[in-house]
């Protein structure tokens, strides 16, 4: 990301940004490709190590070629699943810059952040793809487990520790996500640490306020629209705990307010807010 940012900084604000970025893309794609090879190499090495840690013997049917995971990516946050080359993938950073507000420096900074975010995703995805391929090709593995080093977002927290069988639909990576699917020879990794509220970085102000009043964090974190509940074996406390609630909506015919809904209804009345938190299952 630092290297891509330095390459981006060569754009002259007074010149044509698109033309300059196109000329710089070969440098950027070469750098990202090298990082992808490194990520894929690490992923390949992690598979026998992960299995050994679980007391399972690695039994690969062939050797993984890290270079095969470089030069392309699949932007999984889009509707399609098509493979794109890195030059095509990185180009939209200049579009982001042009569509941003502010002076030229601020607009270019927005494009820089976009270019770095795209680079981070492509490298993380290369490691992820290599890990999946190597896991599928190892007779000692029966699946994979989602792991993201804290701090993580709520979306990742909901699937943290979830076991995915080989061939099953897996987690869809989102931008700037550092999580990985790691090889598993057992359905549950006993030594995977449990996560808590301090490990989640994107709690909103209403969730934080509810937590300050003593609300159960697993209930609070699973109350935001868009968070997916994890299913199957998982060390995420969201697997079997927490409300899948939304602002003003409910489940099973019973309305369940999110923290945002509670504080909107309570206004400045703290006693009413606490009572609503209790009534909606956040405080026992």
């Amino acid at each position: 990301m630092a290297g891509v940012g330095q390459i981006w900084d060569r754009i002259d604000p007074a010149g044509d940004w698109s033309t300059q970025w196109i000329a710089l893309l070969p440098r950027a794609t070469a750098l990202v490709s090298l990082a992808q090879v490194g990520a894929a190499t690490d992923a390949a090495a992690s598979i026998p190590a992960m299995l050994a840690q679980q007391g399972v013997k690695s039994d690969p049917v062939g050797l993984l070629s890290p270079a095969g995971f470089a030069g392309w990516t699949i932007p999984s946050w889009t509707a399609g699943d098509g493979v794109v080359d890195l030059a095509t993938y990185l180009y939209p950073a200049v579009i982001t810059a042009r569509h941003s507000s502010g002076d030229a420096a601020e607009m270019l900074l927005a494009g820089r952040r976009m270019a770095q975010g795209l680079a981070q995703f492509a490298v993380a995805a290369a490691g992820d793809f290599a890990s999946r391929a190597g896991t599928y090709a190892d007779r000692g593995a029966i699946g994979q487990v989602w792991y993201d080093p804290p701090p993580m977002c709520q979306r990742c927290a909901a699937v943290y520790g979830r076991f995915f069988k080989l061939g099953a639909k897996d987690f869809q990576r989102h931008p700037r996500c550092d999580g990985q699917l790691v090889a598993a020879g057992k359905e549950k990794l006993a030594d995977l640490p449990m996560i808590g509220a301090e490990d989640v970085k994107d709690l909103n102000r209403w969730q934080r306020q509810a937590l300050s009043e003593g609300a159960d964090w697993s209930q609070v974190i699973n109350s935001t629209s868009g968070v997916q509940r994890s299913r199957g074996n998982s060390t995420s406390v969201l697997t079997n705990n927490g409300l899948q609630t939304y602002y003003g909506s409910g489940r099973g015919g019973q309305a369940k307010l999110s923290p945002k809904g509670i504080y909107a209804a309570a206004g400045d009345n703290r006693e009413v807010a606490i009572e609503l938190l209790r009534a909606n299952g956040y405080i026992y």
Side-chain angles (χ1 to χ4, degrees), residues 115-253:
Q116 289 184 305
L118 290 171
Q120 183 276 338
F121 178 95
V123 175
D128 192 21
F129 295 148
S131 177
R132 297 186 207 188
T135 301
Y136 277 54
D138 198 306
R139 297 188 187 95
I142 62 171
Q144 293 182 293
V145 169
W146 179 260
Y147 172 75
D148 193 358
M152 67 191 72
C153 68
Q154 296 181 55
R155 179 174 175 178
C156 287
V159 292
Y160 175 83
R162 177 179 169 182
F163 175 80
F164 294 90
K165 292 181 179 179
L166 296 179
K169 184 178 180 181
D170 51 36
F171 180 78
Q172 191 174 43
R173 179 178 301 280
H174 57 83
R176 293 186 179 270
C177 175
D178 291 322
Q180 297 288 324
L181 282 164
V182 299
K186 302 176 181 179
E187 287 199 3
K188 189 169 184 178
L189 304 187
D191 55 349
L192 197 63
M194 181 65 74
I195 55 173
E198 68 279 3
D199 298 315
V200 182
K201 61 187 177 183
D202 60 346
L203 296 172
N204 62 43
R205 63 187 179 92
W206 299 284
Q207 289 174 305
R208 295 186 186 281
Q209 189 170 352
L211 289 171
S212 71
E213 298 290 1
D216 178 76
W217 92 268
S218 65
Q219 306 284 347
V220 169
I221 198 176
N222 208 23
S223 66
T224 302
S225 177
V227 173
Q228 302 281 329
R229 286 191 68 174
S230 173
R231 295 178 177 84
N233 290 325
S234 173
T235 55
S236 170
V237 296
L238 307 186
T239 303
N240 299 312
N241 299 309
L243 303 169
Q244 187 64 23
T245 60
Y246 299 86
Y247 180 71
S249 71
R251 298 182 66 196

Side-chain angles (χ1 to χ4, degrees), residues 44-61:
S46 75
I47 295 169
M50 286 295 300
L51 294 175
Q53 187 176 355
Q54 300 164 51
V56 177
K57 183 179 179 181
S58 174
D59 185 17
V61 297

Side-chain angles (χ1 to χ4, degrees), residues 24-164:
L24 292 168
L25 276 174
R27 293 174 179 264
T29 56
L31 181 62
V32 174
S33 292
L34 284 173
Q36 287 181 310
V37 172
T41 300
D42 289 345
S46 75
I47 295 169
M50 286 295 300
L51 294 175
Q53 187 176 355
Q54 300 164 51
V56 177
K57 183 179 179 181
S58 174
D59 185 17
V61 297
L63 296 176
L64 200 69
S65 175
F69 299 91
W72 59 274
T73 194
I74 301 176
S76 68
W77 68 87
T78 62
D81 295 322
V83 175
V84 295
D85 64 89
L86 289 183
T88 302
Y89 171 72
L90 292 173
Y91 176 77
V94 76
I95 299 176
T96 297
R98 280 299 188 189
H99 289 177
S100 299
S101 59
D103 58 23
E106 292 172 321
M107 294 169 72
L108 282 171
L109 182 59
R112 187 185 200 271
R113 287 194 292 263
M114 178 65 172
Q116 289 184 305
L118 290 171
Q120 183 276 338
F121 178 95
V123 175
D128 192 21
F129 295 148
S131 177
R132 297 186 207 188
T135 301
Y136 277 54
D138 198 306
R139 297 188 187 95
I142 62 171
Q144 293 182 293
V145 169
W146 179 260
Y147 172 75
D148 193 358
M152 67 191 72
C153 68
Q154 296 181 55
R155 179 174 175 178
C156 287
V159 292
Y160 175 83
R162 177 179 169 182
F163 175 80
F164 294 90

